């Protein structure tokens, strides 16, 4: 694995503003979102609006990823995605969610998830996950991907490639009538072939008008998650695989989650809607 030094928190830039004409999610300015009480199965109008939100989120992530290079700060990536979403009439869902201060999550190397963009400078050989969610027309679209920065070592490159493949396999396993734990079973069985850890405490989730509806989508084989998959359900799958342990520590900021052994980790995510025959990806650019 790369001999890069471990990450430390950087400096935050000032709060980025969102035009007043853009609709805010209900949780902005509040300590927590209101509990979701609606259905997990969505109607066709909601799904069509989620296609729009998902496309904007995917395009914003793609635009930010174009700027990944040694010497670029994670805050600069946040600026690019923020401006893209605002320019397309969408609100960056993470901005103000439970107090999160930025418009995307940027998780570098040993950061599992929820890294806060700041003055951290990307280095040659880093891997960086961008997690972007857009809110428009009253619904969210959520996706993430892990990118290579410069010349990345083979072990890290394979981790990224195989984590993407684990998501692809999980999506193919989604079928109406199956229990939702089929998703984690597929991911964990694949990850075990390479000796990877599978993060357990951070999961996929239901998503619609709510950023996190309460539906849990584990990425490990859990006998307790037996919700039956139905057409029209909308949720994310977002496996986090590690080169070592699945256990983690959290920074004092209350957000940044790092592997306990500080080994590298990768993640990929799509928002899906269940169809009669499988699943449609809503977060395609």
């Amino acid at each position: 694995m790369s001999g890069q030094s471990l990450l430390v928190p950087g400096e935050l830039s000032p709060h980025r503003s969102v035009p007043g004409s853009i609709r805010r999610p209900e949780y902005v300015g509040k300590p927590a979102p209101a509990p979701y009480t609606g259905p997990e199965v969505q109607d066709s109008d909601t799904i069509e609006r989620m296609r729009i939100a998902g496309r904007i989120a995917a395009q914003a992530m793609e635009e930010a990823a174009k700027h990944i290079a040694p010497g670029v700060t994670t805050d600069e990536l946040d600026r690019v995605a923020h401006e893209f979403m605002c320019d397309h009439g969408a609100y960056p869902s993470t901005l103000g969610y439970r107090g999160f201060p930025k418009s995307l999550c940027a998780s570098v190397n040993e950061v599992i998830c929820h890294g806060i963009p700041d003055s951290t400078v990307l280095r040659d050989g880093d891997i960086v996950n961008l997690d972007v969610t857009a809110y428009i027309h009253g619904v969210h679209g959520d996706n993430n991907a892990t990118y290579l920065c410069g010349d990345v070592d083979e072990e890290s490159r394979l981790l990224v490639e195989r984590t993407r493949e684990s998501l692809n396999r999980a999506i193919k396993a989604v079928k109406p009538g199956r229990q939702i734990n089929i998703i984690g079973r597929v991911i964990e069985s694949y990850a075990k072939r390479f000796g990877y850890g599978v993060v357990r405490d951070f999961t996929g989730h239901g998503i619609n008008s709510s950023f996190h509806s309460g539906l849990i989508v584990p990425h490990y084989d859990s006998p307790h998650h037996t919700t039956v998959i139905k057409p029209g359900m909308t949720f994310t799958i977002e496996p986090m695989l590690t080169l070592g342990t699945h256990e983690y520590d959290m920074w004092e900021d209350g957000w940044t989650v790092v592997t306990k052994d500080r080994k590298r980790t990768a993640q990929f995510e799509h928002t899906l809607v269940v169809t009669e025959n499988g699943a449609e990806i809503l977060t395609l650019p």
Side-chain angles (χ1 to χ4, degrees):
M1 190 183 74
S2 169
Q4 301 278 44
S5 58
L6 297 178
L7 293 167
V8 295
E11 297 293 322
L12 290 181
S13 65
H15 179 86
R16 299 191 201 283
S17 62
V18 176
S21 59
I22 293 178
R23 177 180 173 184
R24 272 74 169 152
E26 58 80 24
Y27 53 74
V28 174
K30 301 177 182 177
Y36 178 71
T37 57
E40 297 297 346
V41 172
Q42 306 303 311
D43 60 29
S44 58
D45 174 67
T46 302
I47 293 166
E48 184 54 39
R49 287 183 282 127
M50 288 183 68
R51 283 193 184 95
I52 296 169
R55 182 167 60 248
I56 292 172
Q59 291 172 339
M61 183 175 73
E62 193 174 61
E63 192 64 30
K66 292 177 183 176
H67 293 75
I68 292 173
V72 175
T73 65
T74 55
D75 186 67
E76 173 64 8
L77 304 178
D78 181 79
R79 182 195 65 79
V80 172
H82 177 94
E83 293 182 358
F84 185 96
M85 285 185 273
C86 291
D87 287 347
H88 288 77
Y91 185 92
S93 300
T94 60
L95 185 62
Y97 179 79
R98 297 184 181 272
F100 192 84
K102 292 296 176 180
S103 298
L104 58 69
C105 299
S107 302
V108 181
N109 296 344
E110 70 268 21
V111 179
I112 294 171
C113 57
H114 304 159
I116 300 174
D118 58 18
S119 61
T120 297
V121 175
L122 295 177
R123 302 161 297 184
D124 186 58
D126 283 343
I127 60 174
V128 56
N129 177 273
L130 301 182
D131 193 335
V132 179
T133 309
Y135 177 80
I136 190 171
H137 304 317
V139 295
H140 301 268
D142 185 5
N143 68 163
N144 77 54
T146 303
Y147 299 91
L148 310 181
C149 180
D151 185 17
V152 175
D153 67 272
E154 180 75 356
E155 185 179 37
S156 299
R157 189 187 62 75
L158 285 173
L159 173 69
V160 170
E161 182 180 299
R162 291 163 176 168
T163 304
R164 181 192 293 111
E165 175 63 15
S166 77
L167 172 60
N168 293 340
R169 289 176 179 232
I171 291 171
K172 290 177 182 176
V174 173
K175 305 286 184 185
R178 290 180 170 177
Q179 293 180 347
I180 210 154
N181 56 16
I182 185 66
I183 293 167
R185 190 172 307 133
V186 166
I187 292 168
E188 187 170 44
S189 64
Y190 179 71
K192 279 184 172 178
R193 287 167 50 180
F194 310 105
Y196 295 154
V198 181
V199 173
R200 303 168 77 89
D201 290 352
F202 299 91
T203 68
H205 52 89
I207 184 171
N208 37 66
S209 60
S210 174
F211 195 169
H212 300 86
S213 72
L215 175 68
I216 295 173
V217 183
H219 303 121
Y220 62 98
D221 188 0
S222 168
H224 307 296
H225 292 84
T226 57
T227 300
V228 175
I229 298 171
K230 299 176 182 177
M233 290 177 72
T234 50
F235 53 82
T236 72
I237 304 177
E238 45 189 299
M240 292 151 263
L241 305 187
T242 70
L243 289 176
T245 182
H246 68 269
E247 297 180 344
Y248 66 92
D249 294 320
M250 187 175 288
W251 283 3
E252 290 183 3
D253 61 25
W255 283 106
T256 306
V257 179
V258 296
T259 53
K260 186 171 281 291
D261 57 13
R262 303 302 190 266
K263 291 186 177 181
R264 288 188 169 188
T265 175
Q267 182 184 17
F268 284 83
E269 172 187 24
H270 276 306
T271 295
L272 312 170
V273 59
V274 181
T275 66
E276 294 294 337
N277 300 311
E280 175 192 346
I281 299 172
L282 298 179
T283 39
L284 291 175

